[in-house]
Amino acid sequence: MNLSQTIHGISFTNPTVLAAGMMGITASGWKDVARHGAGGITTKSMWIKEHKGHPNPVVISTPYWSINAVGLPYAGFDVAKEEVGSYMKDHPVPLIANIVAESVEAFAETAAKMVTLKPDFLEVNISCPNVEDEFGRPFACSPSDAAAVTRAVKAVSGTIPVFIKLSPNVDNIKVIAAACAEAGANGITAINTVGPGMAIDLRSRLPILANKVGGMSGRGIKPLAVRCVADIYAATEGKLPIIGLGGIATGEDALEMMMAGASLVGIGTAIWERGLDVFRDVSKEMQMWCTTEGVGEISELVGSMHKEVLISTKH
Ligand code: SIN
């Protein structure tokens, strides 16, 4: 049974990838995740200038959901150069460099600098719900803003494929995905966190997070993520690879996401629940299911839900 996937000529030994923001700061951390079986690594969102995040507490976690408002802290391009540069020297699995910026022009400048580090893909974070007070409505909330960032990054990215990371917090994700595709995106990552949400401490009667609100992730958001990925696959006619994430914790979750249209699946919050072995374990669980079901190539499953729906509506 073959779990490998080749996306824009880059080979992944299995479809699991580390989601942005989780363990995603240093080359040694990324290599550790690769040793635990991840098929690919996504870095933390990287700015070219230093950006301070929110004060603690920044995360609340329960078995059903997590809320975070880390606020996209990052030390800047010198650190990216050292860590990405060091990782790319021996490069155990593909690296997806996630970038963030405050304006269309800054996205272009950031992308132009990051491509000099030669990551396998760029992932463009236009969908963080935690920095709205600082930068306003995320670019992912409007088709024209999302397209403008896509065009600006594509203009400087050369041969490095560009994935645009979308938000579920929009009226119609299909329109946004189609606008990114039209603007030249090579792939879509979906979804970023949901909400924002809030949790209140009963004793103090105050919001637990210092930022008061934060993006929700974890098992509870999976149905929303699966629907968004299915919508994006339909809107882009299955022509763009999708990195699907949001609540993936088991092999069955990953298979469901692939049937909705994802070629790769991101795992983040589940690391808190299952440890770093989640990557190897999810792959094993996928493999067992495929063997039982007689699926020889994992790629056969990508978007298979859409074909089944077509067949079932013909009868
Ligand atoms: C954060 O740093 O607040 C989370 C990043 C994101 O949601 O994109």
Side-chain angles (χ1 to χ4, degrees):
M1 196 279 120
N2 181 13
L3 277 186
S4 71
Q5 284 282 64
T6 300
I7 314 291
H8 294 304
I10 304 290
S11 295
F12 293 76
T13 50
N14 71 71
T16 67
V17 300
L18 174 70
M22 300 289 303
M23 315 269 314
I25 302 170
T26 63
S28 64
W30 300 330
K31 286 180 186 171
D32 195 26
V33 177
R35 273 194 295 277
H36 282 81
I41 300 293
T42 313
T43 70
K44 185 168 175 48
S45 294
M46 300 183 291
W47 304 81
I48 49 171
K49 295 199 185 100
E50 185 184 4
H51 184 260
K52 292 198 190 308
H54 297 312
N56 283 320
V58 292
V59 183
I60 314 160
S61 207
T62 79
Y64 315 105
W65 49 260
S66 293
I67 308 182
N68 87 77
V70 184
L72 294 169
Y74 195 70
F77 184 69
D78 287 348
V79 169
K81 191 171 169 188
E82 196 174 313
E83 299 300 339
V84 175
S86 157
Y87 180 86
M88 292 310 290
K89 273 187 202 140
D90 48 0
H91 195 214
V93 298
L95 189 79
I96 303 162
N98 182 302
I99 61 168
V100 65
E102 70 279 17
S103 65
V104 173
E105 298 71 30
F107 265 110
E109 194 191 345
T110 306
K113 288 194 97 158
M114 294 298 176
V115 296
T116 63
L117 308 179
K118 300 194 174 19
D120 294 290
F121 296 162
L122 278 184
E123 181 175 89
V124 184
N125 184 359
I126 57 169
S127 47
C128 176
N130 300 332
V131 287
E132 234 179 290
D133 289 350
E134 207 175 341
F135 301 115
R137 196 173 68 139
F139 294 98
C141 294
S142 133
S144 57
D145 291 350
V149 175
T150 306
R151 267 193 300 274
V153 171
K154 279 297 294 174
V156 296
S157 56
T159 55
I160 297 182
V162 173
F163 281 63
I164 306 295
K165 187 165 183 180
L166 296 188
S167 169
N169 312 318
V170 294
D171 288 342
N172 188 343
I173 201 165
K174 287 185 179 176
V175 176
I176 315 267
C180 295
E182 174 73 29
N186 303 106
I188 300 288
T189 302
I191 54 175
N192 207 321
T193 52
V194 177
M198 179 187 276
I200 295 171
D201 172 64
L202 298 188
R203 276 178 192 275
S204 65
R205 303 181 189 186
L206 288 169
I208 297 173
L209 295 178
N211 189 52
K212 298 189 182 68
V213 297
M216 296 186 286
S217 62
R219 284 184 183 254
I221 72 164
K222 191 192 72 179
L224 177 60
V226 168
R227 192 271 294 162
C228 286
V229 167
D231 276 355
I232 294 164
Y233 185 90
T236 55
E237 297 168 349
K239 290 181 185 146
L240 287 190
I242 301 169
I243 304 175
L245 75 164
I248 304 298
T250 67
E252 290 193 1
D253 296 337
L255 291 162
E256 192 181 346
M257 191 60 103
M258 294 186 83
M259 289 179 192
S263 295
L264 299 172
V265 288
I267 298 179
T269 305
I271 296 171
W272 291 326
E273 182 189 333
R274 299 190 71 184
L276 272 188
D277 282 332
V278 67
F279 294 96
R280 190 160 291 128
D281 292 345
V282 165
S283 288
K284 273 192 205 146
E285 289 156 11
M286 294 171 91
Q287 193 145 31
M288 275 164 55
W289 186 92
C290 289
T291 305
T292 308
E293 296 294 319
V295 175
E297 300 281 334
I298 196 77
S299 53
E300 287 171 35
L301 295 181
V302 175
S304 55
M305 179 276 282
H306 300 267
K307 290 160 205 140
E308 293 298 332
V309 168
L310 271 182
I311 294 166
S312 69
T313 49
K314 276 191 188 145
H315 294 300

